Amino acid sequence: MVLTDKQRTDLHAGIYEYLLSRGPAFAATAEALAQADPEARSSNSSTDNSKTDGNDDEPSNSNGTSPRKTTPSSATPVLEKKWTAVPRLQKRVLELERQISSNQRIHAHRAGFSGGTASAPLDSTTASGGIRERRMLPRPPAQHSLQSHSSGITALALHPIYTLAASGSEDGTIKLWDHESGDYLRTLRGHTNVVTSVDFCPKGGGYLVSCSTDLSIKIWDVKDNFVCVRTLRGHDHTI
């Protein structure tokens, strides 16, 4: 690694500051470094002076010079701060690499994603002229597995604003979930037969509407604790 003159001076100044902070046991080593590179001492001194500008009440020795100030134990030398920052950065890099690897596995099936890097969009035809089917199917692992119905699930709807999902089932119930956390919220009962469809109002999602083979349509108020505010009847066959 090739350092510039400025980088080398800053490094030596940091080492000099660190040695001084370790007390008298390292004073000789610090002095040897200062003799080998006088700029290390001058750079460190200029830094100390900039920190103490405006303080004219410091005591002085009999010869009129200010005594050498040792780094207080509460102040961490710059070299130590940089040294401890390196492991944190390495840990963060490893976490980001794991996230990238996970995203590559999850999105590898998508068009325009090849080997973890974005590529040109795939055409609908192959080089040989055949038709390539562009399938955007979900791939494992699943983010959550939601289980509570006692029979087959026949309908599913997502709230347009909140992280709320509603599922209808052959058991005649509607269950509400937080699809972001995977938590089960509550069960709506009212239909007496298979729930065939559920959907939220597209404008704000203030109501949930469900229909069933019991020939009824029910409207549930999302903002009023999912109370069934109306039941519509009139069909003669399965809705």
Side-chain angles (χ1 to χ4, degrees), residues 124-156:
S124 59
T125 59
T126 61
S128 60
I131 302 299
R132 175 190 288 120
E133 183 180 2
R134 302 174 67 175
R135 305 180 63 184
M136 303 295 288
L137 299 179
R139 294 290 188 272
Q143 185 175 3
H144 299 293
S145 181
L146 312 179
Q147 297 179 350
S148 181
H149 286 290
S150 60
S151 190
I153 298 173
T154 56
L156 180 68

Side-chain angles (χ1 to χ4, degrees), residues 121-217:
L122 298 178
D123 297 329
S124 59
T125 59
T126 61
S128 60
I131 302 299
R132 175 190 288 120
E133 183 180 2
R134 302 174 67 175
R135 305 180 63 184
M136 303 295 288
L137 299 179
R139 294 290 188 272
Q143 185 175 3
H144 299 293
S145 181
L146 312 179
Q147 297 179 350
S148 181
H149 286 290
S150 60
S151 190
I153 298 173
T154 56
L156 180 68
L158 299 179
H159 196 279
I161 299 176
Y162 308 123
T163 59
L164 182 67
S167 59
S169 171
E170 294 177 351
D171 60 14
T173 64
I174 301 170
K175 293 188 180 293
L176 303 177
W177 317 80
D178 186 331
H179 62 74
E180 188 174 75
S181 64
D183 294 335
Y184 161 77
L185 301 179
R186 62 179 300 168
T187 298
L188 306 182
R189 303 180 186 277
H191 289 292
T192 58
N193 212 326
V194 177
V195 177
T196 57
S197 181
V198 292
D199 199 4
F200 288 98
C201 177
K203 293 185 178 180
Y207 294 95
L208 172 67
V209 181
S210 62
C211 60
S212 168
T213 56
D214 63 5
L215 308 183
S216 70
I217 298 172

